[in-house]
Amino acid sequence: MSTKPLTKTPTLKRTRGQTEEQDSNYETSSSTSNLINFMQADGDWQETAFSYSLHHNKAPFNLATLDPSADSQLQNALRFLPAKTQLDALIEAFFSNVNHHYNFVHPPAFIRQYVNWSCRRSQGCLQDIQLTTLIFMMCACVTQHLDEETQTTLGIHLTQPSKDVSKAYHDAGHRLAEAIPVGFYHLTNLQWKVLSICWFKGEAKFTEAWHTIGLAVQEAYELGLHKSRPFSTQDIGAQIGRRAWRVLYCWNWQLSSILGRPFIMNDIDVEPELPDLNNTPPTPTLHTKLQYQLISSLAKRWQTPQNINSPSKVHDYKKMTLRKMTNGHG
């Protein structure tokens, strides 16, 4: 799949409330019926309410929109996306095969946005750049290692090798993201950046992943995710942010070890207690919580992997890790 350069263009600002008010006039297409099923199943999520507001952020609705009929940058980007039926299949495949690993894209909330986004796309209305970029990254992650048998099973038909298609989606998403104005911090930005890191890791491009972690961490700081504050269990936005923070924290330590780079994240003040592992069924994100707690303990003692530089420290590191694996909370 060939790529075309995208040109810089002015952006417009609109709140999510205004977006949803405008979108209420659109009807759901019948071709999204399979996706609607994801709105009924929350999986590891215990709530159906959703809010993008995190920790009383001053500007939680920093959305940048473009008019596709007047903006060549968005026009060029949208050309990389397949027809609606195929795009629906890719989004469905993302939630079936990818999202459960980290679970920081909330299916019901996203599908509601995606249905409205699809209607706006078909009618040439203003588009949310952050959401469009997230869709590109979701498609990139889905197609990254998609063999022909899986394509047939999922009803996805790629005309070129999946790795080429995946790279084209990822590159197009990054070029479109250049149109997001500086200072438009948003949870959706954090989501697509984390997926971009996931894509780079899948390509063994660890240096690129490291640099993107830096950008994602800056976004997380601006959203206040580094601060431990009580939040309602019904605040899905806060849960998404906390999960993304845990994933970034673990990947930061991992890539610091691989590349010999410093550890760049500060831990949040207080981590909620883990559930009783003996009496509570495990959730899809339990492994991330356990890994996060282990790395948090390691970071508190050694600050960065580069400080584990002697046989005695390696022995202590191994002992601490084994104890954590054996005791869970220990």
Side-chain angles (χ1 to χ4, degrees), residues 258-278:
I258 294 174
L259 300 174
R261 306 288 175 85
F263 192 62
I264 61 176
M265 296 178 70
N266 291 322
D267 201 1
I268 56 177
D269 301 327
V270 179
E271 175 69 5
E273 291 294 328
L274 285 174
D276 185 350
L277 300 180
N278 296 321

Side-chain angles (χ1 to χ4, degrees), residues 90 93 97 141-158 160-163:
L90 289 174
N97 302 330
C141 290
V142 166
T143 55
Q144 189 171 25
H145 304 292
L146 198 62
D147 56 49
E148 293 184 2
E149 181 179 354
T150 305
Q151 291 181 42
T152 302
T153 302
L154 298 175
I156 297 172
H157 308 287
L158 302 180
Q160 298 188 29
S162 61
K163 289 184 68 67

Side-chain angles (χ1 to χ4, degrees), residues 43-114:
D44 190 24
W45 305 91
Q46 299 176 346
E47 308 79 22
T48 56
F50 185 79
S51 171
Y52 270 109
S53 179
L54 288 174
H55 307 312
H56 307 291
N57 190 26
K58 293 181 180 179
F61 301 122
N62 277 341
L63 294 178
T65 59
L66 291 176
D67 183 353
S69 64
D71 191 278
S72 60
Q73 187 156 4
L74 183 56
Q75 283 181 358
N76 290 337
L78 292 177
R79 290 194 189 103
F80 283 94
L81 292 175
K84 186 178 185 305
T85 302
Q86 282 296 294
L87 184 56
D88 287 353
L90 289 174
I91 297 299
E92 183 177 352
F94 174 84
F95 286 112
S96 298
N97 302 330
V98 178
N99 191 54
H100 63 85
H101 290 292
Y102 304 108
N103 216 20
F104 54 77
V105 178
H106 185 242
F110 175 83
I111 296 304
R112 284 193 292 269
Q113 297 173 63
Y114 174 73

Side-chain angles (χ1 to χ4, degrees), residues 182-237:
V182 175
F184 273 47
Y185 304 112
H186 201 279
L187 184 59
T188 306
N189 288 339
L190 182 62
Q191 289 174 306
W192 73 253
K193 287 174 182 176
V194 173
L195 287 180
S196 179
I197 298 166
C198 188
W199 188 89
F200 279 129
K201 289 171 83 272
E203 296 293 316
K205 295 184 176 181
F206 299 124
T207 301
E208 291 85 346
W210 166 263
H211 287 292
T212 310
I213 281 180
L215 297 175
V217 170
Q218 292 174 24
E219 192 90 27
Y221 281 147
E222 293 296 337
L223 294 174
L225 300 181
H226 61 296
K227 301 176 182 178
S228 177
R229 302 185 183 183
F231 62 88
S232 170
T233 57
Q234 293 187 349
D235 189 349
I236 301 299

